[in-house]
Amino acid sequence: MTESEIETAADILAEARRSGTQIEALPVTPSSVAEAHEIQDRVAALVGEPIGAFKAGAPPDGEPTRGLIEARMVRTSPAHMSVAEVPHLGVEGEVAFRFTRDMPARAAPYTREEIAQSVSVLPAIEVVSSRFREPTSRPRLEQLADCGINGGLVLGREMTDWSHLDLPNLHITFVVNGETVLERNGGHPTDDPLAAAIALANMWRDAGGLKAGHVVTTGSWTGMPFLRPGDHCVVRFEKLGEAEIRFVG
């Protein structure tokens, strides 16, 4: 993408966020993760909402990615979100981490041990919604430019001492409107939730660093079902806790 194309894409997505309208597509699809991240950052600057959390992915054989989540869209479980706020009503059961100390900018990469000692863990529901009318039909990098089609994040009670948890193999139960639709051991897409937190800290090393209190959610254990107005969803991780949301209006 040219500089002008990146600027135009950011302007379009920022206006869609401000107005609550949906768009069909960007005029030009990003050609790299770096371009998609640059569009995210410009949208955030244009909209001016504080960033309270992130989503991150760390595929073993691919490039790490991240999405910005506005602080106003981070809610405490049990939560309500309106259809006007998140019209697509997608949900993903996830494990999230809250940074308990600053992770400042520096040259050397953060290690796994450093990150493990610098986070608490929380059950979470990532709410999927987008500025695109049909978000899952858009190319992956276009979705990434729209913050990975994130709509919000619901957080359960955090656990500060989680060394006893076998995170990749937690037993998860996913309940919609009182009906269990998924129950199994494990299910994280890479079997390593912490890897996404490590990747985020290292992506942010040259962008000012992360602050204590920032949250990162790390990938869906439940797929990405889309619900309906009025639906109630609970994601329960045995030994960790649960997060729940109801969609209203």
Side-chain angles (χ1 to χ4, degrees):
M1 298 178 78
T2 66
E3 170 66 22
S4 176
E5 289 168 340
I6 291 173
E7 183 177 358
T8 297
D11 287 341
I12 290 170
L13 287 170
E15 179 55 28
R17 282 180 177 268
R18 293 190 198 100
S19 65
T21 58
Q22 294 178 340
I23 62 175
E24 299 300 330
L26 295 179
V28 179
T29 297
S31 59
S32 68
V33 168
E35 287 178 355
H37 285 170
E38 176 66 18
I39 293 169
Q40 286 187 35
D41 295 342
R42 294 193 187 199
V43 170
L46 288 167
V47 173
E49 288 284 348
I51 302 303
F54 305 83
K55 58 182 294 181
D61 301 317
E63 188 173 357
T65 62
R66 45 79 167 174
L68 310 180
I69 305 176
E70 294 175 357
R72 68 184 183 88
M73 296 306 297
V74 180
R75 311 282 170 86
T76 299
S77 176
H80 293 78
M81 287 189 187
S82 71
V83 176
E85 291 178 301
V86 288
H88 293 100
L89 308 184
V91 291
E92 297 182 337
E94 307 199 5
V95 167
F97 298 93
R98 189 189 304 276
F99 288 89
T100 56
R101 66 179 182 90
D102 291 350
M103 310 302 293
R106 72 182 199 187
Y110 284 103
T111 66
R112 185 181 190 88
E113 182 178 4
E114 286 178 292
I115 300 303
Q117 293 175 351
S118 303
V119 294
S120 58
V121 64
L122 311 89
I125 296 172
E126 182 185 352
V127 179
V128 178
S129 198
S130 175
R131 279 39 64 182
F132 297 117
R133 192 176 310 281
E134 297 184 2
T136 58
S137 72
R138 304 311 309 149
R140 183 183 69 88
L141 289 173
E142 211 163 318
Q143 295 182 40
L144 183 61
D146 187 30
C147 295
I149 60 174
N150 173 269
L153 187 64
V154 176
L155 299 174
R157 183 176 298 178
E158 70 182 289
M159 180 179 290
T160 55
D161 180 7
W162 52 275
S163 58
H164 61 289
L165 294 181
D166 180 10
L167 279 185
N169 297 303
L170 292 177
H171 186 83
I172 181 172
T173 306
F174 181 48
V175 180
V176 177
N177 298 330
E179 179 182 350
T180 298
V181 296
L182 181 149
E183 186 172 7
R184 67 185 180 194
N185 291 327
H188 185 269
T190 69
D191 292 327
D192 188 6
L194 188 63
I198 300 166
L200 180 71
N202 284 319
M203 280 187 278
W204 229 247
R205 282 185 298 123
D206 59 355
L210 296 169
K211 300 296 184 183
H214 274 147
V215 173
V216 57
T217 192
T218 61
S220 178
W221 297 52
T222 58
M224 189 171 62
F226 290 88
L227 305 185
R228 299 176 181 177
D231 281 353
H232 175 249
C233 171
V234 179
V235 173
R236 185 175 300 114
F237 291 94
E238 189 176 4
K239 300 181 181 179
L240 175 58
E242 66 181 35
E244 66 176 293
I245 185 169
R246 185 181 297 276
F247 294 115
V248 297

